[in-house]
Amino acid sequence: MNPVAAILCRLAKVAVWLVVSMGAGLSGSAWAQTFKMPCEVEGTIPSLNDRKLDTAKVVVEIQSMGKNVFLKINGPKLYQVQVTSLTTEEFDGKNLTTAKEMGAYKKHRKTGLESEIVLEREPIMLHAFHDVSYHGKITRVHVDGACTYAP
């Protein structure tokens, strides 16, 4: 079984456990397990003549609760992205998970700022983007790179 499929299988088991635990009325807080995956990425800013950012090592955090996916990239400031498929009063979320990739997209309802993180399954490749304000103008930062899974 490939590493990302193994992660999805584990996340599904955690989600089932959470539903059973909450349905049985167990006391205490229930949190989904967080899976962490290191990646070596490079960022680009297309609107600034495809300006390249320094290569960076980041960690992708993956959580799942029910049908919702939560993904977060931790690293240098311009590489930090957080998305969820959950729709709230502030954000519209979308689950982008398919047989070939796992991902989520979110859009802020008031500002229109968008973010997306997608992990290809084989080989494990990270593709993400997020909108930032740069000199009063909305600019999109793209993040791409290879990831490794260490159980």
Side-chain angles (χ1 to χ4, degrees):
M1 180 181 298
N2 75 46
V4 175
I7 290 173
L8 288 176
C9 183
R10 288 183 192 171
L11 289 174
K13 289 177 184 176
V14 169
V16 168
W17 177 82
L18 286 172
V19 169
V20 169
S21 295
M22 291 188 298
L26 296 177
S27 62
S29 298
W31 292 96
Q33 185 175 0
T34 301
F35 294 92
K36 296 181 180 183
M37 189 174 351
C39 304
E40 179 120 358
V41 297
E42 181 176 75
T44 57
I45 304 174
S47 64
L48 297 177
N49 297 321
D50 285 329
R51 180 178 176 192
K52 296 207 181 293
L53 303 175
D54 291 337
T55 301
K57 292 184 185 221
V58 301
V59 174
V60 177
E61 293 183 5
I62 304 167
Q63 287 185 328
S64 175
M65 290 182 83
K67 294 180 181 180
N68 292 304
V69 177
F70 303 86
L71 300 166
K72 182 178 182 180
I73 300 174
N74 289 315
K77 185 175 181 178
L78 285 176
Y79 289 104
Q80 293 177 15
V81 185
Q82 186 171 342
V83 297
T84 177
S85 60
L86 187 66
T87 295
T88 66
E89 288 182 20
E90 281 189 71
F91 296 99
D92 287 321
K94 185 175 182 183
N95 190 335
L96 303 175
T97 302
T98 67
K100 294 183 180 186
E101 57 193 19
M102 171 187 224
Y105 163 87
K106 80 171 183 182
K107 181 176 183 177
H108 194 278
R109 289 183 176 188
K110 287 184 181 177
T111 65
L113 297 177
E114 299 174 285
S115 301
E116 178 177 292
I117 299 175
V118 175
L119 288 162
E120 290 181 24
R121 294 179 193 254
E122 286 186 45
I124 305 172
M125 296 295 292
L126 170 67
H127 303 287
F129 70 80
H130 65 110
D131 295 336
V132 297
S133 179
Y134 179 75
H135 294 292
K137 200 174 176 184
I138 300 302
T139 304
R140 184 159 289 179
V141 177
H142 289 263
V143 178
D144 296 286
C147 302
T148 55
Y149 174 70

